[in-house]
Amino acid sequence: MKRQVLLPLLSILIIVVGSFGWSIGAGNSILLGLDLEGGAEVVLEPVEDIELSGDALDEALDRAVEIIRNRVDGLGVAEPDITRQSNRIVVQLPGVEDQQRALEVVGQTAELRFRPVCAILPAVPIKLDQSNSQNSDGTNDGPVGILPTDQDELSIDGPVQQDSETMGLTPDGIGCENLGFAPEKAIEMENTEPDDDEADDPIVLPLLDSEGNSYQRLLLGRSMLTGASLETADASFAGFEWQVLPVFRAGTEGIDLFNAAANACFNRTSKCQTGQLAIVLDGIIESAPTVNTPFFERDQIVISGNFDQNRAEDTALVLRYGSLPLEFGDPTDPTSGSRVRLVSATLGQDSLDAGITAGLVGLAIVALFMISYYKLLGLAAMLSLAVSGSMLWVILAWLSETRSLALTLAGVVGLIVSIGTSLDSNVVYFEHLKEDIRNGRTLRSAVDQSFPVAFKTIFWANLASLIGAAILYFLTVGSVRGFALMLGLASILDLIATYFFLRPVVKLLGMQKVIQDRTWLSGLPASSEEGS
Amino acid sequence: MNLLRRMYRNETTVPFAKLWKPVGICSLLILIISVSSLGFRGLNLGLEFEGGGAWELPASGIEAEEVRDALRPLGIADARIQTGGDVLRVRTELSKVAQSTLEEGKSTDPIVAQVTAVLAKITGQPESSISVSTAGPSWGEEITQKAINALIVFFIVIALYITIRLRWEMAVGALLAVAHDILITVGLYALFQFEVTPPTVIAFLTIMGYSLYDTLVVFDKVRDNEHLVTDSKLTYTSVVERALNQVFMRSVNTSITSILPVVSVLIVGSGIMGAVTLREFALALLIGLIIGTFSSLFVASPIATVLRIRFGDSDSDSNRSYRLSEAVRKRSNSNQGAPSVPSNPAIPPRPRKKRK
């Protein structure tokens, strides 16, 4: 009997204390929103030579706002502030403390491109004469991609600087055809700077491992299609591994372009000798999968292999929202009109202090009320609140760290409201207890009997909240989504704290002789009150 | 036994059914006022929804509070003021007309020139260094549209859920009660022309969630007691009334624990510590939470009861019974054994003492 009570109680306490300790140890803390702590701001102004104007420009800007919103707020809880000021787009990101990070998040002006992989190169450029001597020394072993086959031809090559010039004058061709230089020569070439990343030129980019270190470089052919051909993309877990599922648009501008590229790669034609088709955004190779089928249905494409959850989701996000519909100036270039800077909070510390003080005072008053009304049971309820509160803190801090969740003043007040509502499940239980005892039960049996009945009520009511929260979460964007997340979390934690903490604690109290005999301690009516 | 004592023992005998009509009429009046002020006055939508003007100027070492104080005489102390990177930016609401003239480069609204003048004065910058532009809404129509669609799905799914779990009459009652609460709270915002900001919308949604949850707890109790219609030959109304009395103390206590923190935000946060931004928000929540509890007892329940009496199938009451606590079952058995209905059905009979 005792074990039945102590086991769940101890486990949940260990889980709560453990996760709390882990959270503190990992240095997780809750990010504060733009209104409370400020953040970084990126202003994007369209480049001057864009051809759009009037309504078309308006529409393109609106679409860009939507894409940027999805990009910076995939989970919908980061509470960024994205507005248009005339033709400029102002993106404010809470909690971002350096400008470089802000630029990375906004992702600027990138176009997503699919490029065939022409050759696999070693991680660092190698001068051919050096590479030969290294090979003879045996210091550079293992495959280094395409090695020179014709020494005479290579020996005629000029220095690297000239290569980039010849790249600028690439003859016409598709994919890896007619690069204007021998693929072998790429082994000497430096990585292409993002500024020089043009759709119709071959480029050399590093392939990064999960730590961000380059372990290979790829010579990529001309872009064969862009993100415009894509309709959407998703990441999913299929049995044993994470996959990315892109869906292309129908027709000649969509799946047909992709199939042309896939066919070239599958047959390893001169357009795509290696059989790999790389996905490139903003000078970064997102993925370079090998094509295993010559022909695809537009919605039955699977990219798989070595994805962990983060990589799969990031890749899907990039595929989905890769391209902005118009080109913006570079925020790091002062003449462009675009810029990046840090901004202050709109409300500031006073408001946060006021919110927190009010919350603490409210908490104290509620605790007083609960304890004076329900005595020891009230104390148990407050402890249960502490348990669910700690779990909520751990989850919010974790989401802050990984998904840039930010807590605004409205969020703080929302938490304050949830103090009261999460006590409701306790009140429902305690009122049931009182009723059962008045109907002649002993404290001990009432504790066992009324929990399932009370929990049934609590469970179904919370399930309704949970369903509502899920609907709002999946169908909305922005602050509404943030609200849905909070509502859902509060409902789940309420159920967990009630079932795994409150139930055993009350049971434990009910077993104590001291409490059974003293009604002023339990806050419950005496089991047999005929004498009163 | 005084009232408090009876409340504590869940033995109140509030004649809810008799109160339904007068309270319902009051409720209807408030609802009419709310809806008509919503219709005639409309909502005072903030910058985030409607857009406005944005002023930007080079300024260093100036505090947002100084700017706010300077703007107070113009009636726009609620402007969004941000500093950083040696730039001061002020955003505030402007009428649609003022926005479109601003877009064309020539503003006619006097407020635009006034703000420019105030900002020039406080920073010591020439007016020519201030760039004025329109500020688009950060809460665009796309977000609103998605939220509305989601709410429609939400209502449909919740209606199905309650119909399956409880009864369709209760689904109608619960959703009408939620609509009632939201309309009254939103109506208050229209009546007093409080500014609606994204946090306000979140407050409305919080009220919606709370109201629904509260109603479901009450209906669960009613559903548990429905077997009394056949077991004790009570009328459906008196069974509901009895259930409401049983959950009355729970409703009161839950309201207290929910409302106390909000009152604290209102008094301590916005009153004593002066966080003005919290005031209207906390007020909306306070009113919404009170109405949310109230509507479970006085809006959702009467609607569900009336529908049930009118369209209900009384035979199903005894067939569709849920697992009850031993105590409830025993009590109902003792009721059955009793020769007549207890004089006051809201007071459960005292259990006989078995031993001793």
Side-chain angles (χ1 to χ4, degrees), chain A residues 41 84-86 92 339 341 344 358 374 413 420-421 424 431 434 436 438-439 441 456-457 460 468 523 529, chain B residues 8-10 56 82-84 89 134 136 154 161 165 210 213 220 224 250 253-254 257 264 281 326-327 331:
Chain A
E41 169 183 279
R84 279 179 54 192
Q85 277 184 18
S86 300
Q92 296 196 338
R339 59 195 145 78
R341 63 189 167 101
S344 72
Y374 289 114
V413 177
T421 45
D424 180 68
E431 290 299 319
K434 273 166 58 181
D436 270 9
R438 262 196 308 273
N439 285 319
R441 291 199 165 274
K456 179 207 72 173
T457 306
W460 292 108
E529 49 177 332
Chain B
Y8 180 76
R9 292 159 150 270
N10 290 359
E56 275 187 42
Q82 269 181 314
T83 58
R89 178 190 289 137
T134 55
F154 174 91
Y161 173 83
R165 240 313 277 162
Y210 178 83
Y213 180 95
D220 204 64
D224 273 353
R250 172 258 152 201
N253 278 351
T254 301
T257 58
S264 159
F281 184 58
E326 286 289 310
R331 193 172 61 209

Short mmCIF file of all heavy atoms in Angstrom, two decimals, chain A residues 41 84-86 92 339 341 344 358 374 413 420-421 424 431 434 436 438-439 441 456-457 460 468 523 529, chain B residues 8-10 56 82-84 89 134 136 154 161 165 210 213 220 224 250 253-254 257 264 281 326-327 331:
data_model
loop_
_atom_site.label_atom_id
_atom_site.label_comp_id
_atom_site.label_asym_id
_atom_site.label_seq_id
_atom_site.Cartn_x
_atom_site.Cartn_y
_atom_site.Cartn_z
N GLU A 41 17.16 43.93 -34.99
CA GLU A 41 16.23 44.32 -36.04
C GLU A 41 16.94 44.27 -37.39
O GLU A 41 18.07 44.71 -37.52
CB GLU A 41 15.75 45.74 -35.77
CG GLU A 41 15.00 46.36 -36.92
CD GLU A 41 14.61 47.80 -36.61
OE1 GLU A 41 13.62 47.98 -35.91
OE2 GLU A 41 15.33 48.72 -37.03
N ARG A 84 5.68 46.05 -42.40
CA ARG A 84 6.13 46.81 -43.55
C ARG A 84 6.09 48.28 -43.20
O ARG A 84 5.11 48.77 -42.65
CB ARG A 84 5.20 46.55 -44.74
CG ARG A 84 5.49 45.27 -45.46
CD ARG A 84 4.51 45.11 -46.59
NE ARG A 84 4.52 46.29 -47.46
CZ ARG A 84 3.60 46.52 -48.39
NH1 ARG A 84 2.64 45.67 -48.57
NH2 ARG A 84 3.67 47.59 -49.15
N GLN A 85 7.16 48.98 -43.48
CA GLN A 85 7.12 50.43 -43.38
C GLN A 85 7.29 50.93 -44.80
O GLN A 85 8.40 50.90 -45.34
CB GLN A 85 8.24 50.96 -42.50
CG GLN A 85 7.90 50.91 -41.02
CD GLN A 85 8.96 51.52 -40.16
OE1 GLN A 85 9.80 52.26 -40.63
NE2 GLN A 85 8.93 51.20 -38.89
N SER A 86 6.19 51.38 -45.40
CA SER A 86 6.17 51.68 -46.83
C SER A 86 6.73 50.48 -47.58
O SER A 86 6.20 49.40 -47.45
CB SER A 86 6.94 52.96 -47.13
OG SER A 86 6.33 54.03 -46.42
N GLN A 92 11.85 42.33 -36.44
CA GLN A 92 12.47 42.43 -35.12
C GLN A 92 12.43 41.07 -34.45
O GLN A 92 11.39 40.42 -34.40
CB GLN A 92 11.72 43.46 -34.26
CG GLN A 92 11.83 44.86 -34.84
CD GLN A 92 11.44 45.93 -33.85
OE1 GLN A 92 10.73 45.66 -32.89
NE2 GLN A 92 11.92 47.13 -34.07
N ARG A 339 19.39 47.47 -43.39
CA ARG A 339 20.38 47.52 -42.32
C ARG A 339 20.01 46.56 -41.19
O ARG A 339 18.91 46.00 -41.17
CB ARG A 339 20.54 48.94 -41.79
CG ARG A 339 19.27 49.53 -41.25
CD ARG A 339 19.43 51.05 -41.11
NE ARG A 339 18.20 51.73 -41.40
CZ ARG A 339 17.18 51.82 -40.57
NH1 ARG A 339 17.25 51.24 -39.41
NH2 ARG A 339 16.08 52.44 -40.89
N ARG A 341 20.46 46.21 -36.80
CA ARG A 341 20.92 46.84 -35.56
C ARG A 341 20.19 46.24 -34.38
O ARG A 341 19.21 45.50 -34.55
CB ARG A 341 20.69 48.36 -35.62
CG ARG A 341 19.23 48.73 -35.73
CD ARG A 341 19.11 50.22 -36.01
NE ARG A 341 17.77 50.58 -36.43
CZ ARG A 341 16.87 51.14 -35.62
NH1 ARG A 341 17.18 51.39 -34.37
NH2 ARG A 341 15.67 51.44 -36.05
N SER A 344 15.92 48.49 -28.51
CA SER A 344 15.55 48.41 -27.10
C SER A 344 14.17 47.79 -26.94
O SER A 344 13.45 47.58 -27.91
CB SER A 344 15.53 49.82 -26.51
OG SER A 344 14.41 50.50 -27.02
N ALA A 358 3.21 41.51 -9.20
CA ALA A 358 1.77 41.23 -9.14
C ALA A 358 1.52 39.74 -9.11
O ALA A 358 0.67 39.25 -8.36
CB ALA A 358 1.06 41.87 -10.33
N TYR A 374 -8.72 24.83 2.65
CA TYR A 374 -8.56 23.38 2.58
C TYR A 374 -7.48 22.83 3.50
O TYR A 374 -7.13 21.66 3.42
CB TYR A 374 -8.26 22.96 1.14
CG TYR A 374 -9.43 23.11 0.21
CD1 TYR A 374 -9.40 24.02 -0.83
CD2 TYR A 374 -10.57 22.32 0.35
CE1 TYR A 374 -10.47 24.17 -1.70
CE2 TYR A 374 -11.64 22.45 -0.50
CZ TYR A 374 -11.59 23.37 -1.52
OH TYR A 374 -12.65 23.50 -2.37
N VAL A 413 1.30 37.56 -17.99
CA VAL A 413 -0.04 37.64 -17.39
C VAL A 413 -0.80 36.33 -17.62
O VAL A 413 -1.52 35.86 -16.74
CB VAL A 413 -0.82 38.85 -17.96
CG1 VAL A 413 -2.22 38.88 -17.39
CG2 VAL A 413 -0.10 40.13 -17.62
N GLY A 420 -4.46 30.31 -11.22
CA GLY A 420 -5.80 30.08 -10.71
C GLY A 420 -6.48 28.90 -11.36
O GLY A 420 -7.05 28.03 -10.69
N THR A 421 -6.39 28.83 -12.68
CA THR A 421 -7.15 27.80 -13.37
C THR A 421 -6.58 26.41 -13.10
O THR A 421 -7.33 25.45 -13.04
CB THR A 421 -7.18 28.06 -14.88
OG1 THR A 421 -5.88 28.41 -15.31
CG2 THR A 421 -8.11 29.20 -15.21
N ASP A 424 -7.95 24.56 -10.26
CA ASP A 424 -9.33 24.09 -10.36
C ASP A 424 -9.44 22.59 -10.21
O ASP A 424 -10.33 22.08 -9.54
CB ASP A 424 -9.93 24.52 -11.70
CG ASP A 424 -11.36 24.05 -11.82
OD1 ASP A 424 -12.19 24.59 -11.07
OD2 ASP A 424 -11.64 23.15 -12.62
N GLU A 431 -13.64 18.91 -3.38
CA GLU A 431 -15.09 19.00 -3.16
C GLU A 431 -15.73 17.62 -3.22
O GLU A 431 -16.65 17.31 -2.47
CB GLU A 431 -15.73 19.94 -4.17
CG GLU A 431 -15.37 21.42 -3.97
CD GLU A 431 -15.81 21.97 -2.61
OE1 GLU A 431 -16.92 21.64 -2.17
OE2 GLU A 431 -15.02 22.71 -1.99
N LYS A 434 -15.00 15.91 0.10
CA LYS A 434 -15.88 16.39 1.16
C LYS A 434 -17.25 15.73 1.06
O LYS A 434 -17.82 15.28 2.06
CB LYS A 434 -16.04 17.92 1.03
CG LYS A 434 -14.97 18.70 1.75
CD LYS A 434 -14.94 20.16 1.33
CE LYS A 434 -16.26 20.88 1.57
NZ LYS A 434 -16.18 22.28 1.11
N ASP A 436 -18.09 12.87 -0.40
CA ASP A 436 -18.06 11.45 -0.07
C ASP A 436 -18.00 11.23 1.44
O ASP A 436 -18.63 10.33 1.98
CB ASP A 436 -16.86 10.77 -0.73
CG ASP A 436 -17.23 10.26 -2.11
OD1 ASP A 436 -18.34 10.59 -2.57
OD2 ASP A 436 -16.42 9.54 -2.72
N ARG A 438 -19.03 13.28 3.77
CA ARG A 438 -20.32 13.60 4.38
C ARG A 438 -21.33 12.50 4.17
O ARG A 438 -22.28 12.35 4.92
CB ARG A 438 -20.84 14.92 3.82
CG ARG A 438 -20.54 16.07 4.75
CD ARG A 438 -21.38 17.25 4.38
NE ARG A 438 -21.24 17.52 2.96
CZ ARG A 438 -20.28 18.28 2.46
NH1 ARG A 438 -19.41 18.84 3.26
NH2 ARG A 438 -20.20 18.48 1.18
N ASN A 439 -21.11 11.72 3.09
CA ASN A 439 -22.04 10.61 2.84
C ASN A 439 -21.67 9.36 3.59
O ASN A 439 -22.13 8.27 3.27
CB ASN A 439 -22.11 10.32 1.34
CG ASN A 439 -22.93 11.38 0.64
OD1 ASN A 439 -23.95 11.81 1.15
ND2 ASN A 439 -22.45 11.82 -0.50
N ARG A 441 -18.41 8.04 4.34
CA ARG A 441 -17.17 7.30 4.16
C ARG A 441 -16.13 7.74 5.17
O ARG A 441 -16.18 8.86 5.67
CB ARG A 441 -16.60 7.59 2.78
CG ARG A 441 -17.43 6.98 1.72
CD ARG A 441 -16.67 6.87 0.44
NE ARG A 441 -17.42 5.97 -0.41
CZ ARG A 441 -17.28 4.66 -0.35
NH1 ARG A 441 -16.40 4.11 0.45
NH2 ARG A 441 -18.01 3.89 -1.12
N LYS A 456 -12.01 11.84 -13.66
CA LYS A 456 -12.77 11.70 -14.90
C LYS A 456 -13.23 13.09 -15.38
O LYS A 456 -13.02 13.47 -16.53
CB LYS A 456 -13.99 10.81 -14.66
CG LYS A 456 -14.87 10.62 -15.86
CD LYS A 456 -16.30 10.31 -15.47
CE LYS A 456 -16.98 11.55 -14.92
NZ LYS A 456 -18.40 11.41 -14.67
N THR A 457 -13.82 13.85 -14.45
CA THR A 457 -14.27 15.21 -14.80
C THR A 457 -13.09 16.06 -15.29
O THR A 457 -13.17 16.70 -16.34
CB THR A 457 -14.88 15.88 -13.55
OG1 THR A 457 -15.89 15.04 -13.04
CG2 THR A 457 -15.44 17.23 -13.90
N TRP A 460 -11.72 14.85 -18.85
CA TRP A 460 -12.50 15.19 -20.04
C TRP A 460 -12.53 16.68 -20.30
O TRP A 460 -12.51 17.11 -21.45
CB TRP A 460 -13.92 14.62 -19.94
CG TRP A 460 -13.93 13.13 -20.00
CD1 TRP A 460 -14.17 12.27 -18.97
CD2 TRP A 460 -13.64 12.29 -21.14
NE1 TRP A 460 -14.06 10.96 -19.39
CE2 TRP A 460 -13.75 10.95 -20.72
CE3 TRP A 460 -13.31 12.57 -22.47
CZ2 TRP A 460 -13.53 9.88 -21.57
CZ3 TRP A 460 -13.11 11.51 -23.33
CH2 TRP A 460 -13.21 10.18 -22.88
N GLY A 468 -8.85 21.80 -28.39
CA GLY A 468 -8.91 23.19 -28.86
C GLY A 468 -7.53 23.74 -29.11
O GLY A 468 -7.27 24.37 -30.14
N GLY A 523 -8.96 19.71 6.83
CA GLY A 523 -9.87 20.62 6.18
C GLY A 523 -11.10 19.92 5.65
O GLY A 523 -11.84 20.46 4.85
N GLU A 529 -20.39 12.65 11.65
CA GLU A 529 -20.61 13.93 12.31
C GLU A 529 -21.99 14.00 12.95
O GLU A 529 -22.55 15.07 13.12
CB GLU A 529 -20.44 15.05 11.29
CG GLU A 529 -21.22 14.81 10.02
CD GLU A 529 -21.10 15.97 9.07
OE1 GLU A 529 -20.89 17.09 9.53
OE2 GLU A 529 -21.21 15.74 7.87
N TYR B 8 -20.20 25.67 2.47
CA TYR B 8 -19.02 24.86 2.75
C TYR B 8 -19.35 23.38 2.64
O TYR B 8 -18.57 22.58 2.18
CB TYR B 8 -18.50 25.19 4.14
CG TYR B 8 -17.27 24.41 4.51
CD1 TYR B 8 -16.03 24.76 3.97
CD2 TYR B 8 -17.35 23.32 5.38
CE1 TYR B 8 -14.91 24.03 4.30
CE2 TYR B 8 -16.22 22.59 5.70
CZ TYR B 8 -15.00 22.95 5.16
OH TYR B 8 -13.89 22.24 5.46
N ARG B 9 -20.59 23.04 3.04
CA ARG B 9 -20.99 21.64 3.00
C ARG B 9 -21.62 21.25 1.67
O ARG B 9 -22.21 20.18 1.56
CB ARG B 9 -22.01 21.39 4.11
CG ARG B 9 -21.44 21.50 5.49
CD ARG B 9 -22.58 21.76 6.46
NE ARG B 9 -22.30 21.21 7.77
CZ ARG B 9 -22.63 19.96 8.13
NH1 ARG B 9 -23.25 19.19 7.29
NH2 ARG B 9 -22.34 19.52 9.32
N ASN B 10 -21.56 22.11 0.68
CA ASN B 10 -22.21 21.85 -0.61
C ASN B 10 -23.68 21.55 -0.43
O ASN B 10 -24.26 20.74 -1.10
CB ASN B 10 -21.56 20.66 -1.34
CG ASN B 10 -20.18 21.00 -1.81
OD1 ASN B 10 -19.72 22.12 -1.60
ND2 ASN B 10 -19.53 20.06 -2.45
N GLU B 56 11.30 58.03 -37.77
CA GLU B 56 12.64 57.58 -37.44
C GLU B 56 13.59 58.76 -37.50
O GLU B 56 13.54 59.56 -38.43
CB GLU B 56 13.10 56.51 -38.43
CG GLU B 56 12.64 55.12 -38.03
CD GLU B 56 13.23 54.05 -38.92
OE1 GLU B 56 14.42 54.14 -39.25
OE2 GLU B 56 12.47 53.14 -39.30
N GLN B 82 10.99 52.83 -29.57
CA GLN B 82 12.18 51.98 -29.49
C GLN B 82 13.43 52.77 -29.78
O GLN B 82 13.44 53.61 -30.68
CB GLN B 82 12.08 50.83 -30.49
CG GLN B 82 11.42 49.60 -29.93
CD GLN B 82 11.38 48.50 -30.93
OE1 GLN B 82 11.02 48.71 -32.08
NE2 GLN B 82 11.74 47.31 -30.51
N THR B 83 14.49 52.48 -29.03
CA THR B 83 15.77 53.09 -29.34
C THR B 83 16.75 51.98 -29.64
O THR B 83 16.47 50.81 -29.39
CB THR B 83 16.29 53.89 -28.13
OG1 THR B 83 16.40 52.99 -27.02
CG2 THR B 83 15.37 55.02 -27.77
N GLY B 84 17.91 52.35 -30.18
CA GLY B 84 18.90 51.32 -30.48
C GLY B 84 19.65 51.70 -31.73
O GLY B 84 19.06 52.24 -32.67
N ARG B 89 12.88 55.27 -32.91
CA ARG B 89 11.72 55.03 -33.76
C ARG B 89 10.45 55.10 -32.92
O ARG B 89 10.36 54.51 -31.85
CB ARG B 89 11.80 53.66 -34.43
CG ARG B 89 10.55 53.40 -35.28
CD ARG B 89 10.43 52.00 -35.78
NE ARG B 89 11.42 51.72 -36.80
CZ ARG B 89 12.11 50.59 -36.84
NH1 ARG B 89 11.95 49.68 -35.91
NH2 ARG B 89 12.98 50.39 -37.79
N THR B 134 4.72 55.24 -43.43
CA THR B 134 3.62 54.47 -42.87
C THR B 134 4.18 53.20 -42.25
O THR B 134 5.21 52.69 -42.68
CB THR B 134 2.61 54.07 -43.96
OG1 THR B 134 3.32 53.39 -44.98
CG2 THR B 134 1.92 55.28 -44.53
N GLY B 136 3.13 49.38 -41.53
CA GLY B 136 2.11 48.36 -41.84
C GLY B 136 1.73 47.58 -40.61
O GLY B 136 2.43 47.62 -39.59
N PHE B 154 -12.47 24.86 -34.52
CA PHE B 154 -12.46 24.66 -33.08
C PHE B 154 -13.88 24.44 -32.56
O PHE B 154 -14.18 23.46 -31.87
CB PHE B 154 -11.83 25.90 -32.44
CG PHE B 154 -11.87 25.95 -30.94
CD1 PHE B 154 -10.82 25.44 -30.19
CD2 PHE B 154 -12.94 26.53 -30.27
CE1 PHE B 154 -10.85 25.51 -28.81
CE2 PHE B 154 -12.97 26.59 -28.89
CZ PHE B 154 -11.93 26.08 -28.16
N TYR B 161 -17.32 16.93 -29.90
CA TYR B 161 -16.74 16.32 -28.70
C TYR B 161 -17.76 16.28 -27.57
O TYR B 161 -17.97 15.23 -26.94
CB TYR B 161 -15.51 17.12 -28.30
CG TYR B 161 -14.88 16.72 -26.99
CD1 TYR B 161 -13.98 15.65 -26.94
CD2 TYR B 161 -15.15 17.41 -25.81
CE1 TYR B 161 -13.39 15.29 -25.74
CE2 TYR B 161 -14.57 17.05 -24.62
CZ TYR B 161 -13.69 15.98 -24.58
OH TYR B 161 -13.11 15.63 -23.41
N ARG B 165 -19.38 13.02 -25.87
CA ARG B 165 -19.06 12.81 -24.47
C ARG B 165 -20.29 12.98 -23.59
O ARG B 165 -20.54 12.20 -22.68
CB ARG B 165 -18.06 13.87 -24.05
CG ARG B 165 -16.69 13.49 -23.52
CD ARG B 165 -16.64 12.46 -22.49
NE ARG B 165 -16.88 13.00 -21.16
CZ ARG B 165 -17.21 12.24 -20.15
NH1 ARG B 165 -17.34 10.95 -20.32
NH2 ARG B 165 -17.40 12.75 -18.98
N TYR B 210 -11.21 29.29 -20.70
CA TYR B 210 -11.64 29.16 -19.31
C TYR B 210 -13.12 28.86 -19.22
O TYR B 210 -13.56 27.98 -18.48
CB TYR B 210 -11.31 30.46 -18.57
CG TYR B 210 -11.74 30.47 -17.13
CD1 TYR B 210 -10.93 29.89 -16.16
CD2 TYR B 210 -12.94 31.05 -16.75
CE1 TYR B 210 -11.32 29.89 -14.83
CE2 TYR B 210 -13.34 31.06 -15.44
CZ TYR B 210 -12.53 30.48 -14.48
OH TYR B 210 -12.92 30.47 -13.18
N TYR B 213 -13.95 25.28 -20.26
CA TYR B 213 -13.51 24.33 -19.24
C TYR B 213 -14.49 24.32 -18.08
O TYR B 213 -14.94 23.27 -17.62
CB TYR B 213 -12.11 24.71 -18.78
CG TYR B 213 -11.52 23.81 -17.72
CD1 TYR B 213 -10.69 22.76 -18.08
CD2 TYR B 213 -11.79 24.01 -16.38
CE1 TYR B 213 -10.14 21.93 -17.13
CE2 TYR B 213 -11.25 23.18 -15.40
CZ TYR B 213 -10.44 22.15 -15.79
OH TYR B 213 -9.90 21.33 -14.83
N ASP B 220 -20.52 17.95 -16.51
CA ASP B 220 -20.14 16.60 -16.12
C ASP B 220 -20.93 16.18 -14.89
O ASP B 220 -21.39 15.04 -14.76
CB ASP B 220 -18.64 16.56 -15.85
CG ASP B 220 -18.09 15.16 -16.01
OD1 ASP B 220 -18.15 14.64 -17.14
OD2 ASP B 220 -17.65 14.58 -15.00
N ASP B 224 -23.74 13.20 -14.50
CA ASP B 224 -23.64 12.16 -13.48
C ASP B 224 -24.92 12.03 -12.69
O ASP B 224 -25.22 10.97 -12.14
CB ASP B 224 -22.50 12.51 -12.50
CG ASP B 224 -21.17 11.99 -13.00
OD1 ASP B 224 -21.18 11.25 -14.02
OD2 ASP B 224 -20.14 12.32 -12.40
N ARG B 250 -17.54 24.64 -5.68
CA ARG B 250 -16.38 24.47 -6.55
C ARG B 250 -16.29 25.66 -7.51
O ARG B 250 -15.21 26.21 -7.72
CB ARG B 250 -16.52 23.15 -7.29
CG ARG B 250 -15.52 22.92 -8.35
CD ARG B 250 -16.15 23.17 -9.72
NE ARG B 250 -15.15 23.58 -10.66
CZ ARG B 250 -15.43 24.23 -11.76
NH1 ARG B 250 -16.67 24.59 -12.02
NH2 ARG B 250 -14.49 24.56 -12.59
N ASN B 253 -15.06 28.68 -5.52
CA ASN B 253 -13.64 28.59 -5.18
C ASN B 253 -12.74 28.75 -6.40
O ASN B 253 -11.71 29.41 -6.34
CB ASN B 253 -13.34 27.24 -4.53
CG ASN B 253 -13.69 27.25 -3.06
OD1 ASN B 253 -13.99 28.32 -2.53
ND2 ASN B 253 -13.67 26.10 -2.43
N THR B 254 -13.15 28.11 -7.50
CA THR B 254 -12.33 28.23 -8.71
C THR B 254 -12.29 29.67 -9.19
O THR B 254 -11.25 30.17 -9.59
CB THR B 254 -12.91 27.32 -9.81
OG1 THR B 254 -12.90 26.00 -9.32
CG2 THR B 254 -12.07 27.38 -11.05
N THR B 257 -9.83 31.49 -6.95
CA THR B 257 -8.40 31.26 -7.22
C THR B 257 -7.99 31.82 -8.57
O THR B 257 -6.84 32.15 -8.77
CB THR B 257 -8.04 29.76 -7.16
OG1 THR B 257 -8.85 29.07 -8.11
CG2 THR B 257 -8.24 29.20 -5.79
N SER B 264 -4.77 41.01 -8.41
CA SER B 264 -3.44 41.44 -7.98
C SER B 264 -2.72 42.17 -9.11
O SER B 264 -2.07 43.19 -8.88
CB SER B 264 -2.64 40.22 -7.51
OG SER B 264 -1.28 40.49 -7.54
N PHE B 281 -5.80 45.16 -20.09
CA PHE B 281 -5.63 43.73 -20.29
C PHE B 281 -6.18 42.95 -19.08
O PHE B 281 -6.99 42.03 -19.21
CB PHE B 281 -4.14 43.48 -20.48
CG PHE B 281 -3.76 42.08 -20.78
CD1 PHE B 281 -4.28 41.44 -21.89
CD2 PHE B 281 -2.86 41.40 -19.99
CE1 PHE B 281 -3.91 40.15 -22.19
CE2 PHE B 281 -2.49 40.12 -20.27
CZ PHE B 281 -3.01 39.49 -21.37
N GLU B 326 -19.07 5.35 -5.55
CA GLU B 326 -19.85 4.50 -4.66
C GLU B 326 -20.82 5.33 -3.85
O GLU B 326 -21.99 4.96 -3.68
CB GLU B 326 -18.89 3.78 -3.69
CG GLU B 326 -18.09 2.66 -4.33
CD GLU B 326 -18.96 1.47 -4.66
OE1 GLU B 326 -19.69 1.02 -3.76
OE2 GLU B 326 -18.93 1.00 -5.81
N ALA B 327 -20.33 6.43 -3.39
CA ALA B 327 -21.15 7.25 -2.50
C ALA B 327 -22.40 7.74 -3.19
O ALA B 327 -23.49 7.67 -2.65
CB ALA B 327 -20.33 8.44 -2.00
N ARG B 331 -26.23 6.75 -2.33
CA ARG B 331 -27.20 7.76 -1.98
C ARG B 331 -28.45 7.62 -2.85
O ARG B 331 -29.56 7.73 -2.39
CB ARG B 331 -26.59 9.14 -2.16
CG ARG B 331 -27.40 10.21 -1.53
CD ARG B 331 -26.66 11.51 -1.59
NE ARG B 331 -26.41 11.86 -2.97
CZ ARG B 331 -25.37 12.57 -3.37
NH1 ARG B 331 -24.47 12.96 -2.49
NH2 ARG B 331 -25.21 12.87 -4.63
#
